[in-house]
Amino acid sequence: WGVQNFLRRDFTLEAQLRDINPDLYLIMLGQNDIGTPVEVWRDRYIQLLNRLQTAAPEAEFILIASYNSGHPALAQMTLTLSQIAQQRGMGFFNLYAAGGSYQTYVNNGYLTDAVHFNQAGGQYVGNLIYDALESSGRSVTAACNDIDFNNDGVFPADQDLIDFFNVLAGGACG
């Protein structure tokens, strides 16, 4: 679904949310909105946030930028989403940057087709988000600090060890 699909929901959306009474929303939308002009997408996204906040006013939000599927519109959508989060005092997770390039998803077999995650891709993205939540964002800002030393999504791998020794010898952490 894209943002517009959620906006088309009738009053039952708010009724369901009031029943659930969420304390946290994690929202990752954008991939299915690529054909929408960014200004229109921004306005719709804000309308959706307003609906969600009305239904659960005490809830907190983390807005998650879509992963880098290679479409040029996603970079601007990521920037726009970051601005929305900052303006509204909401959390923001930049999956577009943290998840790696589109080729990372292709090389690691994370997609069922050209866009959608398979089980391994969902687990990869889910782990990135979970680790960022658990570490207050340190897991995606601290490079070269785990078993996937070069953060290419493949671990453990010989290249991780090679990159470790290169950094140990004074090379840059990628």
Side-chain angles (χ1 to χ4, degrees):
W1 276 27
V3 174
Q4 188 64 17
N5 298 98
F6 288 100
L7 289 176
R8 286 187 186 135
R9 291 283 312 269
D10 64 13
F11 67 94
T12 60
L13 174 64
E14 285 85 355
Q16 290 171 339
L17 292 172
R18 280 191 295 275
D19 286 343
I20 296 169
N21 193 26
D23 57 3
L24 176 65
Y25 289 105
L26 299 173
I27 305 171
M28 184 170 80
L29 295 169
Q31 206 63 240
N32 292 325
D33 294 305
I34 287 175
T36 304
V38 174
E39 302 79 24
V40 173
W41 179 77
R42 179 189 186 284
D43 292 343
R44 289 177 180 170
Y45 203 102
I46 290 171
Q47 288 174 31
L48 176 61
L49 292 176
N50 291 340
R51 282 185 75 177
L52 298 175
Q53 281 186 308
T54 299
E58 300 300 316
E60 295 186 38
F61 288 75
I62 298 176
L63 310 182
I64 303 171
S66 190
Y67 84 102
N68 182 357
S69 66
H71 195 284
L74 287 170
Q76 183 61 42
M77 292 172 85
T78 298
L79 177 62
T80 299
L81 191 59
S82 172
Q83 292 167 347
I84 292 170
Q86 185 175 16
Q87 292 164 354
R88 296 182 72 122
M90 297 176 171
F92 174 71
F93 180 73
N94 190 344
L95 179 61
Y96 182 86
S101 69
Y102 179 67
Q103 202 59 47
T104 298
Y105 293 85
V106 171
N107 290 349
N108 290 293
Y110 290 156
L111 304 173
T112 59
D113 54 29
V115 177
H116 300 96
F117 303 132
N118 59 21
Q119 183 175 352
Q123 186 169 358
Y124 170 69
V125 169
N127 286 339
L128 281 174
I129 294 168
Y130 178 80
D131 290 345
L133 289 170
E134 284 291 301
S135 70
S136 299
R138 288 185 304 277
S139 65
V140 292
T141 58
C144 302
N145 68 343
D146 61 6
I147 193 167
D148 184 13
F149 191 79
N150 58 16
N151 297 310
D152 65 355
V154 179
F155 58 90
D158 291 344
Q159 192 61 48
D160 291 309
L161 191 56
I162 292 166
D163 291 342
F164 169 77
F165 284 119
N166 284 337
V167 169
L168 192 61
C173 178

